[in-house]
Amino acid sequence: MTESNQSMTKTSPLQGLLSAFIPGLGQFVAGLRARGFYIFATVFTMGGLSVWTIAQRARFPDYGLSLGIFLRLSVQAAALLLFLLAAQRLLTRFILHDPVAQTFSGYGVGILYVLAVTYLTQSFLSLAAAGVETNQYHATTAVFAAAAMAALWIWQIGDAARVGGLSSQQPKPSIGSLIFIACVIIFILGYNITGINLPKAISEYQDTAILLPRMFWPWRNAFEYTQEFEEATQKIQAPCPAGDEGPPANSPDPDVAWVSATPTCGDLSERPITGGLMLGTELTITGGNFTPGQVVDILWNNPIGNAFRPRGMGPTEITIDLDGGFSTQLNIPDAVISASTAVGAQIHTLVVRQSSEEVFTGRLSQDMILALELMLQTIMIGLMATFFGIILAFPVSFLAARNLMAPVVSPLNRIVGSGIGLIAGVWAGGIITGQIANRLGGLAEAPIQIFLAGIFAVGMLGLLGFQSIGTLFTRLTNSLGAQGTGKVLTSLVLAALAAAPGYLLGIGFSRGIRSIVLGDEVAALQESTYAIAGALLLALVAALYGMLRRSGEGVKIGMAIYTVSRTIMNIVRSIEPLIWAIVASIWVGLGPFAGTMALTVHTIAALGKLYSEAIESIDQGPLEALQATGANRLQTIVYAVVPQILPPFISFTIYRWDINVRLSTIIGLVGGGGIGFVLIQWMRLYQYENVGIAVWLITITVATLDYVSSTIRERFV
Amino acid sequence: MLKVENLTHIYPDGTVALRDVSFEVPDGEFLGIIGLSGSGKSTLLRCINRLLDPTEGKVIWNGVDLTELDQADLRKSRREIGMIFQHFNLVRRSSVMTNVLSGRLGYTAPSWSLINRFSRKDREKAVAVLERMGISNKAYNRADELSGGQQQRVGIARALMQDPKMILADEPVASLDPVLAHSILGALETLNKEDKITVLCSLHFLDLVQRYATRVVGLRDGRLVYSGSKEDVGKLSDQRFKDIYGEEAQRLDTD
Ligand SMILES: Nc1ncnc2c1ncn2[C@@H]1O[C@H](COP(=O)(O)OP(=O)(O)OP(=O)(O)O)[C@@H](O)[C@H]1O
Ligand SMILES: [Mg+2]
């Protein structure tokens, strides 16, 4: 707000006053209705968001409290800001005349405001201290949101005063400041809601520092190493047998490594329930004939055969001295089975183990082999999903291409006849396939050939019915007359066709909506009534539609098919592959088949859309030219559409294959097979080397694929 | 014989492109269709083979009203009516041979077309037609590798594959230079004279009309405003032509 600004415009205090009480009202009154409305909506949205966030994040029990706190903070901040602005105004009026200095004093106000507001945090914490636990982090957010809100409020008061004084010829000032302050508030709240905590990212870095190197360079785990052990043992009995000394102590052996202990029996350490530790008998251990300078492990093998390092009882590693011997003290450790409940002589074994250097065998480790196998599986999941996706998306994309479907207009009697034929054909095909499969011991047992033949039969019979019954019915109704019996017949059959979905809708209505209101039992009781009512209703609507149509007018069946297939595709596509994988793994069980299925479903929808858009952008000319030669629809597609769409189709397909392999690496996280499956397991077992191996394999595969696919695509585009 | 009766076409957006147009074309005529841009020439030609469905009126082709036919019968009638286009409308990525053969689709069983198969007779016919159009050496080039004039010859070859009794040509030379224009129209004239194929051809230039057409109809704002025989066309003065055509009309001067 500089001097020059002020000399340009008259301000109007009235509008400013109005806006001070209701944001945007001044602007509204000044005739800038949209501006007033935007300001009102922005202030209230931002305020609501802030209060809500404070209540949620700072865990206040009620909104009233956070609203109160927010308002008090806002008023404090507003007072502060007004003070600073007034100070700056005085400064620029009487002392600073240089425009550069004036501008910098403006920045100074901003910086001072931010600094001063930070001190309000203390005030927030004391306000909130009314029995509510909160922390500095959320307090800062609340305070800054309130400060920004105060700025917004003051800005719009000033804005109202300014626009109130504008004459209608003058250009309206922009609402850039409004958008800017709103963005600041959203940023502050977003920072808090997403839990961004930069100090934490640095202070907790050490935890990752241990595991990151293991993940970055995990290759030691990729190979198998052999290691030889030499062990010397000494039996120890605990507790000591009555009046005896326990097992004999070993005597030095001139040829092999040996270990001996005195005494060879004693009491176990105990950990009383009351806490603490009572050390057991102290043993003196000596040994010899080990490799000088080597580190040996000291292990304790209890009577049930569990070997462990006796931590806290003495050294668990020891360096052999130059003449191959050692000597140390060790307390007998505690045991799960306490001395009082043990039955029979409890013989423990003290083990001193000397390990040789690890020897590289050149073989891959089991984990590496598993990772490689699963990586291959991953790539195959992506490939198969792409393959099935292409096959199914291809025909679907033609149904979803507007330019091909829009001209498809057919007389009602043809559609009705074809519809009946299609249903009858598919039904007959299903029955035949079912019969054959049953002879062979049920569908699940039937070989895949039967399954495919079944699909083929269903398709062919459906097509046959579609064509032949469609033609027959059209001829029949045409001969009966377009206005008379033919029309009646068509309408009746259409009504019969519509009854089926009506029946289902009736059941759905009863099971769904009515059961919510009436409870399951009542709804189930009247289910059939509603089903019949639904069937009758739809049949009636269909019959009326058939009768009231102007004859000769075609039905835009193409656009109907286009709309339905586009809608389905959009819905399927907007559901993430991971979610499809969850659905599929419930359906066919965990494993790669579920992953393939999930990716296939998503691929069909995604490719279908890309394909159909490619079809929509073709040159229509050749299409018309072929139509004009008397070619039928199928022929036009094969000769005029396919050659044009082949390059984009290939390009999209490779692109999708690329995406599918990427997706198949993570689809295992939810049980869809592939490397993601073990990746998540290894992660949970803290086997970070193996995690590293999996991540490396994924990275290499994806990078390679990226390169290959972009190279291939370059050729075709 | 083609008889157009009271043809009206209204586009879905309400544009009335043809209003009550009626005329007759005896077999073997070369009918020139003239008219300003936007006067409805393309609409008329496309209504004749029902690339557009007329809103009202009849198109009677050898005694059959094309507007009444169902899709199957319409396809049979379309086989007898070839069409060539200003922008050739070839499948640019396909070979010349495939483009020409596709003119035969109306006679081919759809299931054969699915696997891209044509009979031996069709292939021989295609070679002969290309020979006749003088581009047999380009048979296996991609269509977009040919020059404009050559592409239009492929377009005519495709129409000839249909064994047409009539050819509809929508400004066939508008995107070609004057020399090529004569060569293409010459080819159409030959077909008209030798093969007795009726030709309906929309044209822009008066001297082309006078040189090639045996009859002329003129359209203005979708109405038929002129109809004349060969003699009338010969006598058609520049001024009268401009009346029909508007001031932008001009002669195409080639020597
Ligand atoms: N698809 C369409 N939708 C709506 N109006 C159209 C459409 N195609 C053409 N028209 C209109 O119909 C009228 C006749 O168009 P038409 O293409 O038949 O003219 P033309 O004589 O062939 O012109 P030109 O010499 O420029 O090719 C024009 O007013 C045009 O704007
Ligand atoms: Mg035109």
Side-chain angles (χ1 to χ4, degrees):
Chain A
M1 239 174 275
T2 52
E3 203 102 37
S4 58
N5 241 345
Q6 223 182 357
S7 61
M8 251 168 56
T9 54
K10 285 204 320 271
T11 54
S12 156
L14 171 68
Q15 267 85 358
L17 200 64
L18 285 177
S19 275
F21 291 102
I22 296 178
L25 184 61
Q27 286 86 345
F28 194 84
V29 169
L32 301 173
R33 307 236 155 130
R35 189 185 187 87
F37 177 74
Y38 291 145
I39 289 172
F40 181 81
T42 308
V43 169
F44 271 83
T45 316
M46 293 300 130
L49 265 178
S50 303
V51 171
W52 181 73
T53 309
I54 294 167
Q56 289 292 315
R57 307 294 301 181
R59 311 226 186 291
F60 281 128
D62 66 80
Y63 286 92
L65 181 57
S66 31
L67 179 63
I69 289 180
F70 183 68
L71 286 182
R72 283 182 65 173
L73 284 173
S74 296
V75 170
Q76 287 178 7
L80 201 63
L81 184 57
L82 282 175
F83 170 74
L84 287 172
L85 286 174
Q88 194 239 3
R89 173 63 56 87
L90 289 175
L91 208 62
T92 53
R93 169 133 325 160
F94 298 112
I95 303 173
L96 298 172
H97 296 295
D98 173 27
V100 176
Q102 285 178 353
T103 313
F104 273 99
S105 74
Y107 291 141
V109 167
I111 293 168
L112 274 180
Y113 185 50
V114 170
L115 287 178
V117 152
T118 317
Y119 283 99
L120 285 178
T121 306
Q122 285 316 311
S123 143
F124 174 85
L125 285 172
S126 64
L127 278 173
V132 202
E133 157 210 359
T134 186
N135 64 30
Q136 183 86 25
Y137 182 63
H138 300 307
T140 313
T141 304
V143 167
F144 273 90
M149 193 64 197
L152 185 59
W153 199 287
I154 290 173
W155 173 81
Q156 61 89 28
I157 294 174
D159 180 72
R162 207 164 344 134
V163 299
L166 285 181
S167 66
S168 53
Q169 287 88 17
Q170 276 171 306
K172 292 150 205 149
S174 83
I175 51 168
S177 309
L178 175 76
I179 296 169
F180 176 75
I181 301 177
C183 287
V184 168
I185 294 180
I186 290 173
F187 177 81
I188 293 168
L189 299 180
Y191 194 92
N192 188 288
I193 290 173
T194 53
I196 293 176
N197 193 337
L198 293 177
K200 198 170 177 179
I202 293 163
S203 65
E204 320 261 300
Y205 165 72
Q206 280 146 332
D207 290 359
T208 16
I210 315 165
L211 69 96
L212 275 184
R214 289 161 69 191
M215 276 175 67
F216 278 141
W217 202 250
W219 300 116
R220 203 191 165 285
N221 260 32
F223 297 99
E224 218 170 61
Y225 293 82
T226 50
Q227 212 176 15
E228 277 157 14
F229 303 110
E230 197 176 355
E231 286 183 351
T233 59
Q234 166 68 56
K235 289 197 166 28
I236 310 281
Q237 191 169 2
C240 282
D244 206 342
E245 288 198 338
N250 293 330
S251 45
D253 190 314
D255 299 324
V256 293
W258 59 272
V259 61
S260 168
T262 42
T264 57
C265 73
D267 295 321
L268 292 170
S269 297
E270 302 251 4
R271 290 179 196 275
I273 305 169
T274 50
L277 170 67
M278 287 158 54
L279 283 178
T281 311
E282 188 180 68
L283 309 176
T284 303
I285 305 171
T286 49
N289 260 344
F290 291 94
T291 314
Q294 277 254 312
V295 176
V296 294
D297 293 317
I298 294 179
L299 302 172
W300 193 270
N301 202 349
N302 68 15
I304 39 175
N306 277 343
F308 58 92
R309 289 170 188 270
R311 286 184 219 278
M313 304 298 153
T316 56
E317 282 181 355
I318 203 163
T319 312
I320 305 297
D321 55 31
L322 288 179
D323 44 335
F326 74 91
S327 172
T328 186
Q329 259 77 36
L330 181 76
N331 297 91
I332 297 180
D334 56 324
V336 184
I337 303 166
S338 72
S340 53
T341 55
V343 178
Q346 296 293 305
I347 307 292
H348 300 248
T349 315
L350 172 72
V351 182
V352 177
R353 177 194 283 168
Q354 170 175 286
S355 321
S356 70
E357 289 284 309
E358 291 186 331
V359 182
F360 181 60
T361 60
R363 280 192 303 271
L364 295 174
S365 67
Q366 288 303 311
D367 288 337
M368 180 68 181
I369 292 173
L370 182 63
L372 283 173
E373 274 173 358
L374 286 173
M375 198 62 230
L376 184 68
Q377 191 185 68
T378 306
I379 297 173
M380 288 305 166
I381 291 175
L383 270 179
M384 292 313 282
T386 314
F387 176 74
F388 286 122
I390 299 169
I391 291 182
L392 295 168
F394 190 76
V396 171
S397 65
F398 286 87
L399 300 181
R402 193 188 190 102
N403 58 340
L404 295 186
M405 295 312 280
V408 180
V409 176
S410 195
L412 186 61
N413 55 359
R414 173 110 221 164
I415 294 174
V416 168
S418 298
I420 298 244
L422 184 66
I423 292 171
V426 168
W427 181 70
I431 297 250
I432 294 172
T433 315
Q435 286 297 328
I436 294 174
N438 277 344
R439 296 264 156 90
L440 295 169
L443 187 57
E445 304 299 318
I448 182 73
Q449 291 90 323
I450 297 292
F451 180 73
L452 290 180
I455 291 181
F456 186 73
V458 167
M460 286 322 271
L461 283 175
L463 211 63
L464 187 73
F466 184 86
Q467 277 291 343
S468 55
I469 299 190
T471 310
L472 276 178
F473 189 80
T474 314
R475 294 251 163 87
L476 175 69
T477 44
N478 280 351
S479 69
L480 291 174
Q483 290 303 330
T485 329
K487 188 168 186 168
V488 177
L489 186 59
T490 305
S491 307
L492 282 180
V493 178
L494 180 64
L497 272 181
Y503 190 84
L504 292 179
L505 280 179
I507 291 181
F509 177 73
S510 194
R511 285 206 192 146
I513 300 171
R514 288 185 73 249
S515 62
I516 294 171
V517 183
L518 301 173
D520 287 339
E521 289 79 13
V522 187
L525 209 63
Q526 296 162 351
E527 204 171 270
S528 60
T529 319
Y530 275 83
I532 291 168
L536 284 179
L537 191 71
L538 270 206
L540 188 69
V541 171
L544 277 179
Y545 171 77
M547 289 309 294
L548 296 179
R549 284 180 60 78
R550 266 179 50 203
S551 69
E553 196 182 325
V555 180
K556 290 186 180 149
I557 184 79
M559 280 315 283
I561 295 174
Y562 162 83
T563 312
V564 169
S565 46
R566 266 289 161 106
T567 310
I568 293 178
M569 263 177 4
N570 283 339
I571 294 173
V572 172
R573 214 162 40 88
S574 61
I575 298 173
E576 284 297 310
L578 277 184
I579 295 168
W580 283 117
I582 294 169
V583 175
S585 61
I586 293 167
W587 188 349
V588 294
L590 298 180
F593 182 36
T596 312
M597 228 165 111
L599 282 182
T600 304
V601 170
H602 199 260
T603 304
I604 295 171
L607 269 187
K609 178 155 190 285
L610 288 177
Y611 282 176
S612 55
E613 274 164 7
I615 295 174
E616 284 175 359
S617 65
I618 62 167
D619 175 11
Q620 291 285 101
L623 215 81
E624 279 191 337
L626 290 201
Q627 233 175 311
T629 67
N632 74 1
R633 196 167 293 281
L634 186 70
Q635 291 171 321
T636 6
I637 287 177
V638 174
Y639 282 88
V641 180
V642 173
Q644 291 194 63
I645 57 180
L646 224 47
F649 269 38
I650 291 172
S651 165
F652 287 141
T653 307
I654 291 168
Y655 169 65
R656 185 65 208 186
W657 170 54
D658 190 344
I659 293 181
N660 275 351
V661 175
R662 284 159 200 262
L663 284 175
S664 63
T665 59
I666 55 161
I667 214 147
L669 301 186
V670 293
I675 197 155
F677 198 61
V678 287
L679 178 63
I680 193 89
Q681 269 180 21
W682 283 334
M683 217 124 89
R684 291 195 178 128
L685 294 172
Y686 305 113
Q687 296 179 355
Y688 290 113
E689 281 91 355
N690 288 345
V691 170
I693 289 177
V695 171
W696 266 98
L697 289 183
I698 291 173
T699 314
I700 293 170
T701 309
V702 168
T704 313
L705 201 74
D706 208 54
Y707 175 74
V708 172
S709 87
S710 67
T711 315
I712 301 179
R713 285 206 296 154
E714 254 164 36
R715 295 254 169 93
F716 285 98
V717 179
Chain B
M1 166 114 148
L2 174 75
K3 227 155 105 185
V4 173
E5 288 179 6
N6 310 101
L7 202 61
T8 296
H9 183 81
I10 304 173
Y11 280 105
D13 68 353
T15 313
V16 185
L18 288 179
R19 294 167 209 259
D20 200 19
V21 172
S22 304
F23 60 91
E24 281 182 19
V25 190
D27 287 342
E29 294 279 356
F30 192 124
L31 179 81
I33 303 172
I34 56 178
L36 265 174
S37 180
S39 59
K41 305 182 294 293
S42 300
T43 310
L44 171 63
L45 287 170
R46 293 153 62 80
C47 278
I48 290 175
N49 65 357
R50 274 186 59 194
L51 283 181
L52 291 173
D53 275 316
T55 313
E56 253 160 64
K58 289 180 180 168
V59 176
I60 298 167
W61 166 241
N62 289 342
V64 180
D65 182 0
L66 297 183
T67 58
E68 290 286 310
L69 296 182
D70 66 13
Q71 285 294 321
D73 290 333
L74 175 63
R75 282 202 292 275
K76 289 216 179 76
S77 292
R78 276 177 176 168
R79 299 195 305 209
E80 304 179 339
I81 306 174
M83 189 160 196
I84 58 183
F85 304 83
Q86 175 181 353
H87 299 292
F88 326 131
N89 288 3
L90 302 180
V91 180
R92 299 165 58 81
R93 297 182 58 89
S94 296
S95 70
V96 167
M97 194 64 178
T98 308
N99 268 292
V100 173
L101 278 170
S102 66
R104 203 66 198 160
L105 286 174
Y107 296 92
T108 316
S111 42
W112 277 130
S113 325
L114 263 185
I115 54 166
N116 206 345
R117 228 200 92 93
F118 289 93
S119 72
R120 184 190 194 78
K121 257 170 75 185
D122 287 348
R123 295 182 168 277
E124 283 165 0
K125 188 179 173 68
V127 172
V129 167
L130 282 171
E131 196 93 43
R132 184 168 180 193
M133 298 314 298
I135 41 170
S136 51
N137 57 332
K138 299 282 185 192
Y140 293 99
N141 285 57
R142 261 172 60 156
D144 56 3
E145 291 167 0
L146 270 58
S147 71
Q150 288 169 331
Q151 289 193 31
Q152 194 57 294
R153 284 166 183 274
V154 177
I156 298 176
R158 177 173 62 192
L160 282 182
M161 288 299 285
Q162 295 172 237
D163 290 326
K165 298 197 172 66
M166 173 164 75
I167 287 182
L168 310 175
D170 190 2
E171 301 187 26
V173 296
S175 47
L176 300 177
D177 68 39
V179 181
L180 282 175
H182 277 294
S183 107
I184 293 296
L185 287 173
L188 282 179
E189 189 178 40
T190 314
L191 298 178
N192 176 247
K193 296 252 159 67
E194 290 178 2
D195 301 38
K196 303 283 174 266
I197 298 175
T198 310
V199 176
L200 271 67
C201 181
S202 62
L203 284 171
H204 259 108
F205 298 106
L206 179 57
D207 48 355
L208 290 182
V209 178
Q210 286 176 330
R211 162 77 182 75
Y212 294 101
T214 59
R215 287 174 58 82
V216 173
V217 293
L219 290 175
R220 187 158 207 171
D221 282 337
R223 287 205 181 75
L224 196 73
V225 291
Y226 179 82
S227 176
S229 65
K230 182 157 179 74
E231 292 70 45
D232 301 332
V233 182
K235 282 181 268 169
L236 198 64
S237 69
D238 273 16
Q239 195 45 52
R240 178 78 179 102
F241 184 68
K242 280 190 174 157
D243 286 346
I244 302 163
Y245 224 123
E247 287 307 313
E248 66 182 86
Q250 54 179 308
R251 280 179 184 270
L252 177 67
D253 287 316
T254 55
D255 302 316

